[in-house]
Amino acid sequence: MPEPIKKDENEVPAPAPAPAPVPAPVPAPPPEQPNKEKEAGNRPAKDEEETTLPSALPPGVGSRALERKDSEWSIGESPASEEQDKQNVNSQLSTLFVEKPQTGSVKVGENITFIARVKAEDLLRKPTIKWFKGKWMDLASKAGKHLQLKETFERQTRIYTFEMQIIKAKENFAGNYRCEVTYKDKFDSCTFDLEVHESTGTTPNIDIRSAFKRSGDGQDDAGELDFSGLLKRREVKQQEEEPEVDVWELLKNANPNEYEKIAFQYGITDLRGMLRRLKRMRREEKKSAAFAKILDPAYQVDKGGRVRFAVELADPKLEVKWYKNGQEIRPSAKYIFEHKGCERIMFINNCSLTDDAEYYVTAGDEKCTTELFVREAPVMVTKQLEDKSTFCGERVELECEVSEEDANVKWFKNGEEIYAGPKSRYRVKVDGKKHTLIIEDATKADTAEYSVMTTGGQSSAKLSVDLKPLRILTPLTDQTVKLGKEICLRCEISEYIPGKWTKNGLPVQESDRLKLFHKGRIHKLVIANALIEDEGDYVFTPDAYSVTLPAKVHVVDPPKIILDGLDADNTVTVIAGNKLRLEIPISGEPPPTALWSRADKAIMEGSGRIKAESYPDSSTLVIDVAEREDSGVYHINLKNEAGEAHASIKIKVVDIPDPPVAPSVTDVGDDWCIMHWEPPVYDGGSPILGYFIERKKKQSSRWMRLNFDLCKETTFEPKKMIEGVAYEVRIFAVNAVGISKPSMPSKPFVPLAVTSPPTLLAVDSVTDNSVTMKWRPPDHIGAAGLDGYVLEYCFEGTDHWITANKELIEKTKFTIPDLPTDARIYVRVKAMNAAGASEPKYYSQPILVKQIIEAPKIRIPRHLKQTYIRRVGEAINMVIPFQGKPKPELTWKKDGVEIDKNEINIRNSETDTIVFIRKAERSHSGKYDLQVKVGKFTETASIDIQVVDRPGPPQFVKIEDVWGENVALTWTPPKDDGNAAITGYTIQKADKKSMEWFTVIEHYHRTSATITELVIGNEYYFRVFAENMCGLSEDATRTKESALIAKDGKIYKNPVYDDFDFTEAPMFTQPLVNTYAVAGYNATLNCSVRGNPKPKITWMKNKVAIVDDPRYRMFSNQGVCTLEIRKPSPYDGGTYSCKAVNELGAAEMECKLEVKVMYQGVNTPGQPVFLEGQQQV
């Protein structure tokens, strides 16, 4: 399509002065160069407005050169831009292609496939690929019966494969093709040629304008690759040469409305492009430093001919390279190069359509460009149209033949172009060189002069359409119809023509009731539900004929009883004791006579409680003081000359209904019940409109209405009752007359609710023929309690649920036995109580009945990962969870020897193993090894148990020295440390006179001590107790000798020592460490600090002090600070810090705590999820 320009298409451009000498045309960069497009888009619009039509084309340049949209004609422009040079270089260095399409050849009618492959290792998404023919035609829009595009991706090699397949190749498919691939800022392209071998023939010389003819829009060849006449080879008969026509003069002097017709006739397709290119021709030529003479703007050659390109260099030493569409040309039999001094010549032999391309030559850093056009012959009309005469309704075919197969041909009617399409009366048929215009059901309006036009000639013929003689096959007939019946007037004539209907001389208009039909020769007028005004004289007149077909219609109106004011069953209701006056409208001509009767007994006019009254347009039945016995069917009969009418009317005398029977309660819930009742025996002669329901507590006398809108059904659901309280209900019936008396109360009932569905339904284990399920009790049970559970299952693909348990399940675990291996089942469980079954809890996915081997895993509790310490006599109870399916084999060993189960109790289950010792002894200390084995999988774990007792006394206590009021003691550690480290000693003294023991030093760590401040003159004995984590030894070791504090008469003065400064600022001796905790298990953070005076300890979370929070407990013992977090959740994770402060300074230490959730045996942060067999604490 021509490119849009700002200038008005209807504006006739002013003539321009004669053009200057032939300018040097320079082709514009390809469309894929965005910089050039941007520069072109930024040029002032004034330039385009100033574009004018020259009087003639430059010599040697045909209109074929103007067709290329990527070519520019300018004066003084350089042959190529720097960006175009870069593009050419980049096209040679492939950045994306791993395989490029290769030039190929094919015979006419055969298939050929071009393949391009792109490596996708560094690409995050699929690259974009485009296939072009020539320079600008995108082949994606041409895909069809002759062209298919395909793309695949190989995941292993990560290579995209793009294929272009040409099916049943034609001669005009030959030419130059281009493949472009882009991905973000990466670009790659390559060109290749297709040669189509053809049969021998002659190609006459034709004007280059024939190459500009349009492709067959709407024809059979539309959508094929022959988008331009340049890509077609046609064989036409040699015709006489016509004088050269100046297209510019024709366009300049023609009316703007005729531009398109002239462009089609002379093969010009791009009027706007011609204006733009001619403007560039007037630009001044820039002087070239490398070329003394450049290439001509364009060259034209006949197909199969030889063309010569020549340039003259300013410096003969410069190296010259020739290029075709960006690809360097190498010398061959087709391409011949010659050097003559400064002149460089290239010959192209045997030119074909593939040689129609852009060529340029480079010398140093400069280049000049030209274009080569290969000419083909115009399309001529070889067989002229012939005049024809026909009748209306006949099929008309206007036929001609042209010199080329599948040529583009235009049809005209009286000079106006005919557009064939799905909604057009015209069809165009193309069969090789034969073109036929088909007109179905010709009319007189089709009489005209028809013409056909090609790029090389035209032909015309006259078509005359006349009327056929008309014959009446079926005339109209007079009709007499009853009021409301259908009127159908039908006639048949010999011709397929329309006509007009009239009534009493006026045209008949269609409406919802009146329809006109015409199908072929038959014409019908149909009136649904005839009215009196439809009576009259009807006439049908065929179009274009003076023949008329008359008919008379007569409408009859028999008596009619109008019961529109009554119910659908003609029932009249009256309340007992009231007066009834029933007036029934009637119609008919003449006015009919009315007669009322009941049970074959006539009701006369006059006085009485029941009487009849007659009027011209109605008849009335009167009943004074209606009674229940007056109910029944009354008949009215009408009669006149046109016929009779009969109707029956049911009169119903109504009263309030009887009270209903006592209701029954069939189902109860937590605060609701469902009650049913039967309608009252007598409804009062009027349908029951609904019911009112009342409720009261059994021990109360106050009734409360439950509905203020009538309940239409005999079922009601009272709500908002108190569970466990007895209630009674009663019913009131309501009809159109009033409300009945209340029914008897129902039997007392107590609302009870079913439980909520069970929770956490999970698979416990699976074998080859059974499935074990477990679940948690319902969240809400209610007053009715919980009686048990029902487990059901169904096989995949069916909806039949099978109850797995014969009796209610009391536990929350059940095994479904006798299942077929490899079957898939769905499972659900219901909770049962006195109120019934709860909503089922479904397992979310089908369960495969097949033994699943799960590798064993041992979950050692945190407190057992360190040495497990117990005192003698205490109980040892270790619970070690594990996983593994099927049930693992467990082996316990102590110090490498199997455990004697008579001494140590071991209990194993499917999920854990328990080691229990009722009274621990020191012999139970040691390393316990647990082995869990499932098939060939084995998991082991070790636990160290240390049973401790109080230590024995020190071995020997000796008085080393006595001086003044002091005694120096030494002793040796005990032989028996109680299987625990000695933590200290306790030293006591006793006066020899009283032998009462007093503690002198406690928790003393050394094995020597000095006892001071003894009383002079006394004699002392000393003893020492050993201490470990269990306490003091039962016995103590006493000194054999006594120590006498002698009186030597000297005054003993205690030495004077300077007081040691023990004050110290807080300092952490053991820091906090980052810790992982498991949700639901207590976690502790520990550190140690020293300082004097004793520092104040403050714990903080995320820099916020923890104060009076029941989730945290803080301890401080002997400088060891502990923060215990009770059952943490993921939200307790964060940064915890401990701060110690005294009057000498402050110190702070922090750590991070991350709380993980146990899921399927893996610690993961997130929402709390439980393992199979675990439950929330």
Side-chain angles (χ1 to χ4, degrees):
M1 295 294 293
E3 297 181 359
I5 61 174
K6 297 183 179 179
K7 193 169 182 179
D8 189 356
E9 291 183 358
N10 296 327
E11 180 182 350
V12 179
V22 179
V26 180
E32 60 268 19
Q33 295 184 8
N35 295 333
K36 285 294 182 180
E37 294 179 355
K38 184 175 181 182
E39 293 175 6
N42 294 335
R43 293 170 182 167
K46 181 178 179 182
D47 294 341
E48 291 193 8
E49 294 178 355
E50 294 174 0
T51 304
T52 59
L53 287 169
S55 59
L57 289 171
V61 180
S63 59
R64 172 68 179 88
L66 300 176
E67 183 183 358
R68 294 184 178 271
K69 296 183 180 180
D70 59 344
S71 300
E72 296 183 358
W73 299 87
S74 62
I75 299 176
E77 290 186 348
S78 60
S81 64
E82 294 180 2
E83 294 186 6
Q84 185 175 2
D85 295 338
K86 296 179 180 179
Q87 182 68 33
N88 294 333
V89 174
N90 293 336
S91 65
Q92 298 175 6
L93 299 176
S94 177
T95 59
L96 294 174
F97 283 118
V98 296
E99 180 180 340
K100 298 182 180 180
Q102 302 298 324
T103 298
S105 61
V106 66
K107 293 182 179 180
V108 175
E110 295 183 354
N111 303 339
I112 187 171
T113 302
F114 296 95
I115 300 176
R117 288 187 171 89
V118 178
K119 195 74 171 180
E121 288 183 350
D122 301 330
L123 307 184
L124 300 179
R125 57 181 175 83
K126 186 181 74 174
T128 302
I129 192 164
K130 292 185 179 181
W131 299 85
F132 295 91
K133 182 174 183 182
K135 297 181 182 178
W136 68 87
M137 189 181 79
D138 190 349
L139 297 181
S141 61
K142 300 296 182 180
K145 62 181 181 179
H146 289 292
L147 175 67
Q148 292 185 0
L149 303 179
K150 180 181 178 183
E151 58 184 49
T152 58
F153 178 66
E154 300 178 4
R155 295 186 178 274
Q156 296 180 353
T157 59
R158 295 194 62 79
I159 291 179
Y160 285 97
T161 302
F162 301 93
E163 298 181 4
M164 180 181 73
Q165 184 179 14
I166 297 177
I167 303 172
K168 296 182 179 179
K170 298 183 178 180
E171 294 179 1
N172 52 24
F173 291 0
N176 181 260
Y177 291 78
R178 187 172 77 256
C179 177
E180 294 182 357
V181 61
T182 57
Y183 177 79
K184 293 186 178 180
D185 56 346
K186 297 182 179 180
F187 173 83
D188 202 356
S189 68
C190 65
T191 59
F192 55 96
D193 295 330
L194 172 63
E195 295 183 0
V196 181
H197 299 291
E198 49 191 308
S199 59
T200 59
T202 59
T203 303
N205 295 331
I206 61 173
D207 189 87
I208 194 171
R209 288 192 303 271
S210 64
F212 280 79
K213 74 178 186 65
R214 301 176 185 269
S215 61
D217 296 340
Q219 305 297 329
D220 292 343
D221 61 347
E224 297 184 1
L225 300 182
D226 49 342
F227 66 98
S228 167
L230 293 174
L231 301 181
K232 294 195 174 201
R233 170 174 179 160
R234 311 186 186 279
E235 295 181 3
V236 298
K237 298 178 180 179
Q238 185 70 25
Q239 297 185 0
E240 297 180 1
E241 295 184 358
E242 297 181 359
E244 184 71 20
V245 178
D246 192 343
V247 181
W248 296 108
E249 290 296 330
L250 288 177
L251 293 174
K252 182 170 62 177
N253 299 324
N255 190 304
N257 296 331
E258 299 180 359
Y259 282 172
E260 192 170 309
K261 182 177 179 180
I262 296 173
F264 173 79
Q265 181 175 359
Y266 293 98
I268 304 302
T269 60
D270 193 0
L271 294 176
R272 296 180 178 87
M274 294 173 65
L275 297 178
R276 287 194 297 271
R277 297 186 185 190
L278 290 173
K279 170 197 167 184
R280 300 188 187 103
M281 291 172 57
R282 296 196 297 272
R283 296 179 182 173
E284 295 181 359
E285 180 180 2
K286 294 181 181 179
K287 187 174 181 180
S288 173
F291 295 97
K293 181 181 179 182
I294 63 175
L295 295 171
D296 291 340
Y299 293 84
Q300 179 175 302
V301 66
D302 293 337
K303 185 176 180 182
R306 181 182 185 187
V307 66
R308 175 180 181 272
F309 296 119
V311 294
E312 187 173 342
L313 301 178
D315 183 2
K317 296 181 180 179
L318 291 176
E319 182 182 0
V320 173
K321 291 185 179 181
W322 296 85
Y323 294 88
K324 171 187 175 182
N325 287 339
Q327 299 292 329
E328 185 177 356
I329 301 174
R330 301 294 183 183
S332 63
K334 186 177 184 66
Y335 301 99
I336 299 174
F337 299 95
E338 290 185 5
H339 294 185
K340 293 182 180 180
C342 293
E343 189 176 14
R344 301 294 184 265
I345 304 171
M346 180 182 71
F347 293 94
I348 303 177
N349 297 323
N350 192 20
C351 292
S352 63
L353 293 179
T354 58
D355 297 320
D356 187 295
E358 178 188 37
Y359 295 82
Y360 64 87
V361 57
T362 63
D365 295 334
E366 296 188 15
K367 70 177 180 178
C368 60
T369 310
T370 187
E371 293 191 49
L372 175 62
F373 301 97
V374 182
R375 299 187 302 180
E376 289 187 294
V379 179
M380 309 300 295
V381 179
T382 59
K383 181 180 179 181
Q384 304 295 323
L385 295 176
E386 297 180 358
D387 296 341
K388 282 195 175 183
S389 297
T390 185
F391 293 105
C392 290
E394 299 292 335
R395 173 188 171 105
V396 180
E397 294 185 0
L398 299 176
E399 182 180 298
C400 71
E401 290 186 6
V402 296
S403 59
E404 294 290 339
E405 292 185 358
D406 299 332
N408 187 17
V409 171
K410 286 194 174 183
W411 292 87
F412 297 87
K413 175 183 177 183
N414 290 335
E416 295 184 2
E417 185 176 354
I418 297 175
Y419 297 97
K423 297 183 180 180
S424 175
R425 296 182 59 250
Y426 302 97
R427 290 192 304 111
V428 176
K429 179 181 178 183
V430 179
D431 184 9
K433 298 180 181 180
K434 184 185 295 184
H435 292 254
T436 306
L437 176 66
I438 302 174
I439 306 175
E440 301 286 353
D441 297 331
T443 63
K444 295 197 69 175
D446 294 324
T447 300
E449 181 179 0
Y450 293 83
S451 59
V452 62
M453 182 180 294
T454 66
T455 58
Q458 63 179 6
S459 176
S460 62
K462 292 183 179 180
L463 174 64
S464 176
V465 182
D466 297 324
L467 295 173
K468 292 182 179 179
L470 183 67
R471 293 181 295 108
I472 300 175
L473 304 179
T474 304
L476 295 178
T477 59
D478 296 340
Q479 292 190 13
T480 300
V481 297
K482 290 184 179 181
L483 188 69
K485 299 297 182 179
E486 181 182 88
I487 301 173
C488 181
L489 299 178
R490 180 183 182 277
C491 65
E492 184 177 359
I493 58 179
S494 61
E495 299 301 325
Y496 296 90
I497 58 174
K500 293 183 177 60
W501 290 87
T502 60
K503 173 189 173 184
N504 298 331
L506 299 177
V508 175
Q509 301 294 333
E510 277 194 292
S511 64
D512 295 339
R513 197 169 58 85
L514 189 149
K515 301 292 183 182
L516 300 178
F517 299 95
H518 174 210
K519 182 177 181 181
R521 302 187 182 96
I522 299 174
H523 296 263
K524 289 198 301 182
L525 183 147
V526 179
I527 303 176
N529 301 324
L531 302 177
I532 296 296
E533 53 267 24
D534 293 329
E535 189 174 54
D537 295 330
Y538 290 82
V539 176
F540 174 74
T541 304
D543 290 348
Y545 291 91
S546 59
V547 179
T548 60
L549 287 80
K552 290 186 178 181
V553 175
H554 179 60
V555 180
V556 178
D557 185 14
K560 185 177 181 181
I561 301 173
I562 302 173
L563 301 177
D564 296 341
L566 301 182
D567 295 339
D569 56 352
N570 298 336
T571 300
V572 179
T573 304
V574 60
I575 300 175
N578 292 347
K579 180 179 180 179
L580 172 65
R581 183 178 180 85
L582 179 61
E583 183 176 352
I584 303 299
I586 60 176
S587 65
E589 191 63 33
T593 302
L595 177 63
W596 288 89
S597 63
R598 178 190 178 194
D600 298 332
K601 182 178 180 181
I603 300 175
M604 307 303 296
E605 298 183 2
S607 61
R609 195 172 62 85
I610 303 177
K611 57 185 177 181
E613 298 177 357
S614 296
Y615 300 95
D617 58 351
S618 65
S619 181
T620 304
L621 175 67
V622 180
I623 301 177
D624 292 331
V625 190
E627 299 176 356
R628 181 178 297 183
E629 291 77 11
D630 295 334
S631 298
V633 179
Y634 291 78
H635 305 280
I636 179 173
N637 294 293
L638 298 181
K639 185 176 182 180
N640 68 358
E641 296 177 359
E644 296 183 358
H646 172 77
S648 297
I649 301 174
K650 182 178 181 181
I651 296 179
K652 181 186 294 185
V653 181
V654 298
D655 202 353
I656 62 173
D658 292 341
V661 183
S664 60
V665 178
T666 59
D667 196 6
V668 295
D670 54 348
D671 63 344
W672 55 269
C673 71
I674 297 178
M675 52 186 293
H676 299 273
W677 62 89
E678 296 294 333
V681 178
Y682 174 65
D683 60 1
S686 176
I688 299 298
L689 301 179
Y691 302 89
F692 286 117
I693 297 92
E694 290 186 350
R695 179 190 74 197
K696 77 174 184 68
K697 295 180 181 178
K698 181 180 179 181
Q699 298 178 352
S700 174
S701 60
R702 186 173 66 88
W703 290 90
M704 180 178 67
R705 179 161 292 184
L706 300 181
N707 63 316
F708 295 95
D709 296 329
L710 287 176
C711 176
K712 305 295 183 180
E713 306 294 335
T714 58
T715 301
F716 188 74
E717 183 180 350
K719 295 182 179 180
K720 297 182 180 180
M721 293 184 287
I722 302 174
E723 188 176 1
V725 177
Y727 289 89
E728 295 178 349
V729 291
R730 66 181 183 182
I731 309 297
F732 293 86
V734 181
N735 65 4
V737 180
I739 303 176
S740 70
K741 294 181 180 180
S743 68
M744 294 298 293
S746 66
K747 294 181 180 180
F749 63 91
V750 179
L752 293 174
V754 298
T755 68
S756 62
T759 59
L760 300 178
L761 178 62
V763 178
D764 185 65
S765 63
V766 179
T767 65
D768 288 340
N769 57 5
S770 67
V771 174
T772 301
M773 306 296 296
K774 60 183 178 180
W775 59 90
R776 296 291 298 159
D779 294 332
H780 176 73
I781 295 179
L786 177 63
D787 296 338
Y789 302 92
V790 173
L791 190 67
E792 297 177 337
Y793 68 94
C794 76
F795 292 97
E796 186 178 29
T798 66
D799 55 358
H800 176 61
W801 290 92
I802 304 171
T803 303
N805 55 303
K806 298 180 179 179
E807 298 180 356
L808 290 180
I809 304 171
E810 297 181 357
K811 298 182 180 180
T812 58
K813 186 176 181 181
F814 188 79
T815 300
I816 305 175
D818 304 329
L819 295 175
T821 305
D822 294 333
R824 292 180 178 271
I825 63 171
Y826 289 92
V827 180
R828 67 183 183 185
V829 62
K830 302 178 183 177
M832 306 293 294
N833 64 2
S838 69
E839 291 293 326
K841 174 64 177 179
Y842 291 87
Y843 190 69
S844 59
Q845 58 188 4
I847 304 170
L848 176 63
V849 183
K850 188 174 182 180
Q851 184 70 57
I852 300 175
I853 298 178
E854 180 181 346
K857 293 183 180 179
I858 302 174
R859 306 296 181 186
I860 301 295
R862 184 193 299 180
H863 67 281
L864 296 179
K865 292 182 179 179
Q866 300 175 353
T867 302
Y868 186 60
I869 301 174
R870 279 292 181 267
R871 296 184 180 183
V872 173
E874 291 182 346
I876 296 177
N877 187 14
M878 296 187 299
V879 180
I880 295 90
F882 60 84
Q883 291 178 330
K885 291 182 181 180
K887 185 177 180 180
E889 298 179 3
L890 281 77
T891 304
W892 280 97
K893 292 184 179 181
K894 178 192 174 189
D895 297 331
V897 180
E898 290 191 3
I899 296 177
D900 186 0
K901 295 185 178 180
N902 295 326
E903 297 181 0
I904 300 175
N905 295 322
I906 297 177
R907 184 186 65 82
N908 298 327
S909 68
E910 295 181 357
T911 57
D912 57 23
T913 178
I914 300 175
V915 176
F916 178 73
I917 303 174
R918 188 174 300 277
K919 291 185 178 181
E921 298 178 0
R922 292 177 60 179
S923 60
H924 293 146
S925 300
K927 182 178 182 181
Y928 289 75
D929 297 319
L930 171 62
Q931 180 181 353
V932 180
K933 184 177 181 181
V934 176
K936 62 180 181 179
F937 301 100
T938 304
E939 178 83 357
T940 59
S942 299
I943 301 174
D944 291 328
I945 299 179
Q946 182 179 356
V947 181
V948 299
D949 198 0
R950 289 193 294 178
Q955 298 184 37
F956 177 77
V957 180
K958 179 181 179 183
I959 299 175
E960 292 290 341
D961 192 10
V962 179
W963 73 96
E965 299 175 356
N966 307 310
V967 174
L969 299 178
T970 60
W971 61 90
T972 57
K975 290 183 179 181
D976 183 10
D977 59 0
N979 202 21
I982 300 298
T983 59
Y985 299 92
T986 298
I987 305 168
Q988 294 182 344
K989 68 179 180 179
D991 189 357
K992 186 177 181 181
K993 297 177 181 179
S994 62
M995 290 306 291
E996 293 183 7
W997 294 94
F998 298 94
T999 300
V1000 178
I1001 302 175
E1002 289 182 321
H1003 312 301
Y1004 190 74
H1005 297 283
R1006 299 180 181 177
T1007 56
S1008 61
T1010 301
I1011 310 302
T1012 61
E1013 298 182 359
L1014 298 175
V1015 179
I1016 297 176
N1018 289 352
E1019 190 174 357
Y1020 293 93
Y1021 286 96
F1022 300 91
R1023 67 179 182 183
V1024 180
F1025 292 88
E1027 182 181 7
N1028 64 5
M1029 60 183 300
C1030 295
L1032 297 175
S1033 59
E1034 295 182 358
D1035 299 326
T1037 302
R1038 197 182 75 174
T1039 57
K1040 295 182 179 180
E1041 301 87 5
S1042 61
L1044 177 61
I1045 308 303
K1047 298 180 181 180
D1048 54 4
K1050 296 180 180 178
I1051 299 176
Y1052 179 78
K1053 295 182 179 179
N1054 291 326
V1056 178
Y1057 301 99
D1058 294 334
D1059 293 337
F1060 183 77
D1061 186 7
F1062 289 97
T1063 59
E1064 184 182 7
M1067 182 180 67
F1068 284 92
T1069 59
Q1070 180 64 34
L1072 292 171
V1073 295
N1074 295 335
T1075 306
Y1076 291 92
V1078 179
Y1081 294 88
N1082 291 355
T1084 58
L1085 302 177
N1086 300 286
C1087 64
S1088 61
V1089 64
R1090 71 183 185 187
N1092 190 15
K1094 184 178 180 181
K1096 179 182 178 181
I1097 304 301
T1098 303
W1099 287 92
M1100 292 176 289
K1101 177 186 176 184
N1102 297 331
K1103 301 302 182 181
V1104 179
I1106 301 173
V1107 180
D1108 297 333
D1109 193 332
R1111 294 181 302 164
Y1112 300 94
R1113 289 200 304 172
M1114 290 165 275
F1115 308 96
S1116 180
N1117 184 19
Q1118 299 293 327
V1120 179
C1121 303
T1122 303
L1123 175 66
E1124 181 181 9
I1125 306 172
R1126 297 183 176 180
K1127 297 181 179 179
S1129 66
Y1131 305 102
D1132 291 321
T1135 301
Y1136 287 81
S1137 56
C1138 178
K1139 186 175 183 180
V1141 181
N1142 66 5
E1143 59 188 20
L1144 297 179
E1148 184 175 352
M1149 186 65 62
E1150 66 179 24
C1151 68
K1152 291 184 179 179
L1153 174 66
E1154 182 178 352
V1155 181
K1156 293 190 175 183
V1157 179
M1158 189 74 70
Y1159 174 70
Q1160 296 273 331
V1162 179
N1163 290 331
T1164 58
Q1167 296 297 325
V1169 183
F1170 305 103
L1171 287 171
E1172 295 182 0
Q1174 290 186 344
Q1175 63 183 19
Q1176 186 177 6
V1177 180

